Amino acid sequence: MISSAHAAPPSVPSVPPLTGDWGGPQVRLQLTETGGKLDLACASAIIDMPVRPDAAGKFVVLGRYDSFTGGPTPADAAPAMAKAHFDGHVEGDTMHLSVHRHGEKAAENYTLERGRRVKLIRCG
């Protein structure tokens, strides 16, 4: 007889991470199986983990955010990356994404479409 204390946990189907290019007005998101890169007009962000929506299409992931200003930047200036978390939900080919920068009260909200190509005009 096998003890229930040593029984294997029930198998939970693993949801594959979202991948590919997503775009919206002045926002571009490139997702891979390990994370992603978000480009905005005056900022960029790195998502440090796979984006795996739950059964309702919701997700929360961690990463880093770097905002920049117009004008020249010294070549040796280190990025001012700050902690951030990203949450949202996916409905079909549409993603609603909120970016929460550490220390900021207000979130930045974006609507992106899978496969939409975007040409960003950087702040200058």
Side-chain angles (χ1 to χ4, degrees):
M1 182 171 176
I2 299 175
S3 167
S4 63
H6 298 292
S11 65
V12 177
S14 179
V15 176
L18 293 176
T19 59
D21 295 330
W22 298 73
Q26 288 299 300
V27 58
R28 178 175 50 220
L29 175 62
Q30 297 169 303
L31 293 175
T32 68
E33 292 183 359
T34 59
K37 182 171 189 225
L38 180 70
D39 289 307
L40 305 163
C42 293
S44 63
I46 302 294
I47 297 173
D48 292 326
M49 56 198 321
V51 176
R52 293 183 196 273
D54 64 14
K58 296 180 181 180
F59 63 88
V60 177
V61 292
L62 301 176
R64 298 163 282 144
Y65 185 96
D66 181 25
S67 58
F68 34 87
T69 60
T73 302
D76 59 350
M81 296 295 254
K83 291 180 182 178
H85 76 270
F86 310 84
D87 63 56
H89 65 278
V90 177
E91 299 171 24
D93 287 336
T94 301
M95 177 188 296
H96 301 280
L97 177 68
S98 295
V99 179
H100 305 267
R101 293 183 285 167
H102 183 71
E104 298 286 327
K105 291 183 181 182
E108 297 174 33
N109 300 301
Y110 304 97
T111 300
L112 301 98
E113 295 175 39
R114 185 190 314 262
R116 181 172 173 188
R117 298 187 68 177
V118 176
K119 181 177 181 180
L120 288 178
I121 300 171
R122 295 288 190 179
C123 59

